[in-house]
Amino acid sequence: MPFSAIVVFAIVWGGLMVYFLTPFNGKMESSADAPFFEALKVSFKRLIFHKKAILAFFLLMFTLLVIWSYFISAEEYDLLHGMNRDSGDPVLYMSGVVLYVAFLYLFLAVRWAMKSSK
């Protein structure tokens, strides 16, 4: 997969994840005088326990399933047509997607905690 395709995928897919992980406005407010770590605990819960978070989970599972099935079908295609090419390791792509989701989740949680603790 070319690097430019991975970058476009990361931007579009990451934007969808940020949208799905961000709850609707005003759903869970914290006091402005709360310490940072207390606000961080609230923000971890806030990002997971809302209606749109289940869509983020489904998007992640669907993406992992598509990556896995792509590599399985590419191997079968190569075997059926007598080709010998290295299509890569699906575990690397799948772990990269999971790490990217974890980074987005932590970034959103820390950003909201910093805003609410000021």
Side-chain angles (χ1 to χ4, degrees):
M1 189 178 236
F3 182 71
S4 61
I6 292 175
V7 169
V8 169
F9 173 78
I11 290 171
V12 172
W13 194 84
L16 281 172
M17 271 305 209
V18 167
Y19 174 74
F20 288 145
L21 285 176
T22 304
F24 296 112
N25 289 335
K27 284 294 184 183
M28 192 176 285
E29 308 270 336
S30 72
S31 62
D33 59 348
F36 176 75
F37 290 108
E38 191 65 34
L40 188 63
K41 285 195 295 189
V42 169
S43 69
F44 281 141
K45 292 176 187 174
R46 176 181 176 263
L47 290 175
I48 291 296
F49 298 115
H50 63 92
K51 292 178 184 177
K52 290 191 303 182
I54 192 73
L55 296 174
F57 178 74
F58 285 145
L59 179 64
L60 176 63
M61 291 298 116
F62 179 73
T63 304
L64 295 176
L65 180 69
V66 167
I67 290 171
W68 185 261
S69 66
Y70 168 76
F71 280 98
I72 295 298
S73 65
E75 288 178 9
E76 289 178 5
Y77 180 85
D78 291 345
L79 285 174
L80 289 174
H81 294 281
M83 298 172 66
N84 190 14
R85 65 178 168 164
D86 185 28
S87 60
D89 190 15
V91 176
L92 292 176
Y93 285 99
M94 293 168 73
S95 61
V97 167
V98 170
L99 288 174
Y100 185 55
V101 169
F103 171 75
L104 288 175
Y105 174 71
L106 288 174
F107 174 75
L108 290 172
V110 169
R111 185 188 70 165
W112 188 82
M114 290 177 70
K115 281 184 179 181
S116 65
S117 68
K118 285 185 178 179

